[in-house]
Amino acid sequence: MVQIWYPAEPQASTNRGHYVDNADVLSAAQGRLYDLPAFTFTHLKYVTTNASPSVSISAKQPRYPVLIFVEGITGYRQMNTFQVEELASQGYIVVAIDQPYVAASVIFPEERAVGGLAKSQMDPLIQQSITPSATVPTLNGRTFADGIIPYLAKDVHFVIDRLTALNRSFETSILRGKLDMQRVGVFGVSLGGIVVGEACQSDLRLKACLVMDAPMSASVLRLGPQQPTMWLTRDAKTMRREGWALIDIVQHQVTMHGAFERSQTNGYFVSVAGMFHANLTDVPLYSPLTSRLGIAGPIDSERARSIINAYSKAFFDRHLQGKQALMLERTTNQFSEVTLETRTPPRR
């Protein structure tokens, strides 16, 4: 399942879309996966967004660059709405994927629901893609010698294929002819970030890749990214403060920075002090208590979102639209929490 956001024509009176559909099903699924009461997230059904359903697409440009968003484990396709809406408002068509068994729950049009797998079930399959073991993990009787990440990356390829067909279709569609399939980028958080690295390795139709707080697969670390890539993460000290295990901190920091150092073209490593993993998603918006409970980091959550949006837009603007982005050339005084490292293509 996918959901698409796009730049719209200004309209005086339009209904705002719901944050999530089927909030009761999603809440029950996340309750099962996190051992929480089923009603924990049911309040999300009352939340509306800044987007409106099925309105006219903006006529400011004949076509718009396309961004694909990949969710994190036990998440949902709307989990980064703060970032998606900002990018759509800045002239991007954003397509978010719900991946069955990765998402907490995927609900298909015929109302069939597919529940997500627990993190404990997914971890061996994920780790096989990062640090391959001689003992090959299995799922539903099938072995995954390269882990599950290459399998999940195929969803990104499939969505690009379908978008290309939609763009050329003779059927009536709001988006027909509006998708610039020569300017396609991808971004993802957590498990979605791992999938982003793998998808970019195997599909050169992707022109810009944004990885948010995720270790890199063995193949990405070995070969290095071929497209412009940004890693948006935080420092090891902040991860320790959040309570991460040392082995996970080392894996994240070493593989992300290792892939950055092997970049075959433009690379950007953006580290934000005081930002916890949840700050890269909508989670801090669930409740003002997330910071007090240690779910969100000591950084002000609104400021964290501003940093993420600013660097996301600057990165895609430069590498999909050829715009100048000075904040990608040096650390800006605007965000003192940010440490920026850059790499440029090697001379041939």
Side-chain angles (χ1 to χ4, degrees):
M1 293 302 300
V2 302
Q3 184 168 337
I4 302 175
W5 291 257
Y6 53 87
E9 283 294 320
Q11 296 188 12
S13 58
T14 53
N15 295 323
R16 299 304 183 195
H18 291 290
Y19 175 56
V20 294
D21 299 316
N22 306 105
D24 291 338
V25 177
L26 176 64
S27 182
Q30 290 200 313
R32 171 180 60 84
L33 293 166
Y34 290 107
D35 196 23
L36 295 170
F39 61 80
T40 303
F41 303 108
T42 53
H43 68 287
L44 295 181
K45 65 182 166 184
Y46 302 109
V47 178
T48 56
T49 68
N50 298 304
S52 300
S54 303
V55 296
S56 300
I57 190 167
S58 173
K60 285 185 178 180
Q61 298 182 36
R63 293 180 299 166
Y64 293 93
V66 177
L67 300 176
I68 296 173
F69 172 70
V70 189
E71 69 206 345
I73 191 170
T74 68
Y76 51 102
R77 64 181 183 266
Q78 305 94 340
M79 66 185 290
N80 277 51
T81 293
F82 83 92
Q83 186 181 23
V84 166
E85 285 190 339
E86 175 64 16
L87 290 166
S89 76
Q90 297 294 333
Y92 292 91
I93 294 175
V94 186
V95 182
I97 307 174
D98 253 345
Q99 295 188 285
Y101 305 106
V102 172
S105 179
V106 179
I107 302 173
F108 291 95
E110 67 274 18
E111 298 186 358
R112 178 171 61 96
V114 177
L117 297 176
K119 188 175 183 296
S120 59
Q121 293 174 281
M122 291 288 285
D123 266 346
L125 297 158
I126 297 168
Q127 289 301 318
Q128 183 68 11
S129 297
I130 301 170
T131 54
S133 169
T135 304
V136 177
T138 62
L139 177 65
N140 295 335
R142 177 178 174 178
T143 58
F144 288 80
D146 297 319
I148 204 166
I149 302 304
Y151 179 82
L152 296 175
K154 291 180 180 179
D155 283 347
V156 178
H157 311 328
F158 173 76
V159 168
I160 295 174
D161 291 342
R162 293 304 300 268
L163 291 173
T164 301
L166 169 66
N167 205 39
R168 297 171 177 171
S169 173
F170 290 106
E171 297 180 11
T172 301
S173 167
I174 291 173
L175 298 176
R176 187 183 67 186
K178 290 290 187 177
L179 299 151
D180 189 340
M181 298 308 296
Q182 299 304 309
R183 295 186 292 168
V184 181
V186 62
F187 64 111
V189 63
S190 197
L191 173 59
I194 313 175
V195 175
V196 163
E198 188 76 23
C200 287
Q201 190 85 74
S202 53
D203 197 333
L204 296 182
R205 292 177 296 179
L206 294 164
K207 306 302 184 185
C209 312
L210 172 57
V211 175
M212 296 188 290
D213 210 36
M216 295 288 88
S217 68
S219 63
V220 172
L221 189 59
R222 182 178 67 254
L223 300 173
Q226 300 176 67
Q227 302 97 320
T229 303
M230 174 181 282
W231 290 263
L232 185 52
T233 184
R234 59 269 171 72
D235 56 289
K237 181 179 178 181
T238 297
M239 296 177 79
R240 287 195 298 271
R241 184 170 181 175
E242 189 177 355
W244 281 44
L246 179 60
I247 188 171
D248 294 324
I249 296 173
V250 171
Q251 184 180 76
H252 274 66
Q253 296 291 336
V254 169
T255 61
M256 281 191 294
H257 214 274
F260 164 71
E261 291 174 345
R262 290 171 176 79
S263 297
Q264 298 181 35
T265 182
N266 298 83
Y268 309 88
F269 199 91
V270 181
S271 182
V272 186
M275 185 173 70
F276 283 6
H277 196 64
N279 286 114
L280 288 142
T281 71
D282 290 341
V283 168
L285 292 165
Y286 288 179
S287 166
L289 298 177
T290 54
S291 184
R292 294 184 184 182
L293 294 172
I295 298 170
I299 189 173
D300 178 76
S301 292
E302 186 174 348
R303 185 168 176 83
R305 290 191 291 274
S306 295
I307 293 171
I308 293 164
N309 282 340
Y311 277 94
S312 300
K313 179 181 181 297
F315 173 67
F316 288 124
D317 278 358
R318 169 174 279 188
H319 292 290
L320 294 183
Q321 302 199 61
K323 295 181 180 179
Q324 190 175 30
L326 293 178
M327 67 188 307
L328 299 185
E329 297 175 8
R330 58 180 180 272
T331 301
T332 172
N333 293 331
Q334 182 182 358
F335 301 122
S336 58
E337 304 91 340
V338 172
T339 301
L340 170 68
E341 298 177 68
T342 63
R343 288 182 62 84
T344 54
R347 297 192 177 193
R348 298 187 182 276

